[in-house]
Amino acid sequence: MFPRPIEHQGKFINVGYRVALYIAVILWLIPLAAVLMTSIRSIADINAGNYWGWPDELQFIENYTQVFIATPMARYLLNSLLISLPAVLGAVAVSTLAGFALAKYKFKANVLLFAMFIGGNFVPFQILMIPVRDLTIDLGLYDTHWALIFFHVAFQAGFCTLFMRNFMVGIPDALIEAARVEGVSEWKIFWYVVLPLVRPALAALSVLVFTFIWNDFFWALVLVQSDEVRPVTAGLNALQGQWLASWQYMSAGAVIAALPPVALFFTMQRHFIAGLTLGATKG
């Protein structure tokens, strides 16, 4: 048999990529569609075994309002905000300063510290469950917002510092040296020269870290236990004990819990994509 012409091979490969893309999108959307459809079903629909078909009765308003009326969902969402926003601010602030030091200052422990930040990202955080829990109890922080805030700032700092350091390495040293020659202090160089140049990276990092912290479930179970402090991920798990068969309410709560990260992404989409693209083009 004669080999296919190059243009035919290209068309065949393009079709294969499209098929793979469609399959990936379908597999990704199936659980989302299942949750969305369940969130508007009636309890009679679920008891009848209609899990995947079109709901016989749509209860969009009833299910979503009932979540706030009959459960502490509003408190769970507020707790997540009170935890996520300070944790993101703290992690990004600390990592930006640390990344600037690792990228632009030469000192003996520079390589060692950089290696420690890299190595720390490979430590399974689950093995630290008991020490971290005991530490928060000894410090009097257990079952408080501060327990999760301090934990996330500490554990996100490694990844964030590595992220920001890689961006700041690409900043020309001539800009910083020129500012120093003019007598500008190191703090003002960081604030007025470096930060404006890494703004897309800060936006991308903030969106990623906010999503990680908002969606955290493991540490929300380990470090808090009361409804007054419990974030929305652990709160959704608590709803299962209140409604043994009311999956429509749990699904509605899951949809509501997913809205803040999605809204943040679309709000900062331009900066987020610019940050990722900037990192991809650095060589």
Side-chain angles (χ1 to χ4, degrees), residues 6-20:
I6 295 179
E7 59 271 13
H8 289 173
Q9 294 179 8
K11 292 180 180 179
F12 179 77
I13 294 175
N14 289 336
V15 171
Y17 284 148
R18 289 184 180 181
V19 172

Side-chain angles (χ1 to χ4, degrees), residues 26-249:
I26 292 173
L27 293 176
W28 179 65
L29 289 178
I30 285 177
L32 297 179
V35 172
L36 287 172
M37 295 300 292
T38 304
S39 69
I40 59 176
R41 293 184 190 279
S42 64
I43 186 62
D45 221 22
I46 296 176
N47 291 337
N50 184 15
Y51 304 121
W52 296 98
W54 186 259
D56 294 333
E57 180 183 359
L58 296 179
Q59 292 188 351
F60 176 83
I61 297 178
E62 178 180 346
N63 290 349
Y64 281 84
T65 55
Q66 189 67 19
V67 171
F68 288 98
I69 294 174
T71 74
M73 177 58 68
R75 183 65 198 181
Y76 295 154
L77 291 172
L78 179 61
N79 288 336
S80 289
L81 287 176
L82 293 176
I83 293 168
S84 300
L85 295 180
V88 170
L89 181 62
V92 172
V94 170
S95 62
T96 303
L97 290 167
F100 177 61
L102 291 175
K104 295 304 177 182
Y105 289 94
K106 306 302 180 184
F107 51 94
K108 292 183 179 180
N110 187 301
V111 177
L112 176 60
L113 289 175
F114 183 52
M116 291 176 60
F117 278 112
I118 295 176
N121 290 312
F122 295 97
V123 176
F125 59 83
Q126 291 87 350
I127 65 175
L128 303 175
M129 177 184 69
I130 295 178
V132 170
R133 183 179 181 276
D134 291 343
L135 179 62
T136 57
I137 293 175
D138 294 339
L139 294 176
L141 299 176
Y142 183 76
D143 200 25
T144 66
H145 294 115
W146 290 109
L148 288 172
I149 291 173
F150 287 145
F151 168 82
H152 287 302
V153 170
F155 277 74
Q156 295 294 339
F159 167 76
C160 295
T161 299
L162 180 63
F163 187 94
M164 293 307 302
R165 183 262 180 193
N166 290 339
F167 274 95
M168 292 182 178
V169 165
I171 297 176
D173 293 335
L175 290 176
I176 298 176
E177 292 299 329
R180 288 171 178 164
V181 170
E182 294 295 330
V184 182
S185 66
E186 295 297 317
W187 172 251
K188 288 185 177 180
I189 290 175
F190 172 78
W191 188 262
Y192 293 105
V193 177
V194 175
L195 282 186
L197 294 176
V198 297
R199 189 177 302 169
L202 290 174
L205 183 62
S206 298
V207 173
L208 290 175
V209 174
F210 180 85
T211 304
F212 295 156
I213 297 174
W214 182 275
N215 292 332
D216 171 68
F217 177 69
F218 180 80
W219 292 105
L221 290 179
V222 173
L223 300 181
V224 300
Q225 63 179 1
S226 63
D227 285 340
E228 288 73 19
V229 184
R230 185 178 285 137
V232 68
T233 49
L236 288 175
N237 183 65
L239 297 185
Q240 187 173 358
Q242 299 179 26
W243 295 311
L244 296 179
S246 299
W247 296 105
Q248 72 277 22
Y249 297 146

